[in-house]
Amino acid sequence: MSRRPGAPVPQPVERLPLVHRAADTTSALARSKVRAGVWERAGHGAYLPVEGGDPFAVARRRALAAVAAVAHGSRAPVVFSHGTAALLWGLTLWRLPERVHLLHPSRAGGDRDRGIARHTSAIDGAEIAEVAGVRVTSLARTVLDCVAVLPPLDGLVVTDSALAAGLAPSALAERVLAAAGARHIAKVRAVTALGDDGSESAYESASRFVVLRAGLPRPDTQVRTLTHLGEVWTDWGWPTFGVLAEYDGRDKYDDRRAFMAEKRRHDAIVEAGRRVVRVVREDVDDDRLLLARLGRVLPRAVVAAARPVPALGA
């Protein structure tokens, strides 16, 4: 595990969005504001002022508003968990939670709100923290809960982000060890063992997941290469084999200057004796594409020795 100097660090949410409670207004006023496009529903009995912006940022704000709605509408203190806790911790997610997740020490009664997912599980005070004024599961507990219920790829994205946020690998390993015998423990062990704090985006984690699930050697993250331009860092790869990988998002080169700067960077890495595989979203959506491309540049013996990992959904 290594980190690029100046790499972003996930930060907990500081405050939840302002929501308007239905109890504090009239139903007629609320309906009129929704029809006018001024408010939108943020959950049961709550409304969020409509704002524009980046689609993902808008979706994230809606998800946080749903948390605020539950927090304001609950008569007793609640503990937010699973994907909702990950969202509050500011962790990277492969997909935003569709419902608000709550943790209960015992089985709750009938739940009429389809926007809330209630989980029954024991929890002690050491596994509860406060973020944005609400109670959430601790960072380590959040990772375990997410990995247990989410697909392995989603779980690795959360694990990588939690490690980048400062969760110590030893603390995570201890928590996994203490969960021996729990449901989905084989998947939890397999996914968390592959966590790496060097991943800086969901697609960096996802592209690495393709490699790990296929049974190829574990790649290094944030690989440093000395070139005539100075130090250059790539997302992941195998320095021993001289093969590096770089994820290219669609918005990475927003103008010609950025494109030319990246071309110079790429050429410098190649001139330093490395082979660079440019990874795009399609390589993750259909992992056969990425594995075929890597198979052409990795040593044949390495590719032949690879065996898919069942615990990762192979």
Side-chain angles (χ1 to χ4, degrees):
M1 299 181 186
S2 62
R3 302 216 71 198
R4 175 178 60 83
V9 177
Q11 297 294 327
V13 173
E14 293 185 0
R15 62 178 61 87
L16 295 173
L18 172 67
V19 295
H20 299 282
R21 298 178 59 198
D24 298 330
T25 186
T26 65
S27 57
L29 178 61
R31 286 196 300 270
S32 68
K33 288 186 175 292
V34 170
R35 284 197 300 267
V38 178
W39 287 359
E40 59 181 316
R41 295 186 184 277
H44 183 69
Y47 300 89
L48 173 71
V50 173
E51 292 183 9
D54 171 77
F56 179 79
V58 170
R60 181 175 180 275
R61 183 168 175 268
R62 287 172 179 162
L64 288 172
V67 174
V70 172
H72 293 323
S74 298
R75 296 179 180 178
V78 295
V79 178
F80 294 96
S81 66
H82 296 74
T84 301
L87 177 69
L88 289 165
W89 279 112
L91 303 184
T92 301
L93 294 164
W94 185 241
R95 55 178 64 85
L96 291 170
E98 297 180 354
R99 296 192 290 172
V100 176
H101 294 262
L102 301 177
L103 202 60
H104 287 268
S106 60
R107 186 172 299 279
D111 185 22
R112 299 179 180 179
D113 191 343
R114 295 182 179 179
I116 297 177
R118 301 183 186 274
H119 304 269
T120 302
S121 177
I123 185 169
D124 58 44
E127 292 183 313
I128 299 176
E130 184 173 308
V131 175
V134 297
R135 299 198 306 165
V136 301
T137 49
S138 68
L139 201 51
R141 174 63 186 263
T142 297
V143 171
L144 262 67
D145 287 342
C146 286
V147 175
V149 302
L150 294 174
L153 186 156
D154 302 54
L156 183 62
V157 171
V158 171
T159 302
D160 284 353
S161 187
L163 293 171
L167 176 61
S170 58
L172 179 58
E174 289 175 5
R175 187 61 188 80
V176 172
L177 184 62
R183 292 185 63 191
H184 310 297
I185 191 59
K187 178 177 67 168
V188 170
R189 287 172 178 156
V191 172
T192 56
L194 298 173
D196 195 310
D197 68 351
S199 180
E200 297 182 9
S201 74
Y203 270 96
E204 286 182 30
S205 295
S207 58
R208 208 175 84 255
F209 176 81
V210 171
V211 167
L212 296 168
R213 182 170 60 181
L216 288 170
R218 180 170 180 163
D220 296 340
T221 57
Q222 300 308 320
V223 182
R224 172 178 171 268
T225 302
L226 289 177
T227 74
H228 69 269
L229 295 178
E231 290 183 339
V232 175
W233 300 77
T234 46
D235 296 336
W236 54 266
W238 300 272
T240 302
F241 307 137
V243 176
L244 305 177
E246 187 86 334
Y247 178 75
D248 279 344
R250 289 189 172 90
D251 58 350
K252 188 171 183 177
Y253 314 118
D254 53 5
D255 56 37
R256 180 174 176 77
R257 182 176 300 178
F259 175 80
M260 293 306 298
E262 180 58 29
K263 185 178 186 308
R264 288 188 67 219
R265 176 178 174 276
H266 174 91
D267 291 345
I269 298 172
V270 173
E271 290 168 11
R274 308 292 197 186
R275 303 188 71 171
V276 182
V277 175
R278 317 296 301 200
V279 183
V280 295
R281 179 177 296 183
E282 288 74 15
D283 291 319
V284 177
D285 294 340
D286 184 352
D287 57 11
R288 294 171 299 179
L289 298 175
L290 178 55
L291 294 175
R293 296 175 62 205
L294 291 172
R296 290 192 286 269
V297 296
L298 287 170
R300 290 183 179 179
V302 171
V303 176
R307 296 292 182 273
V309 181
L312 297 181

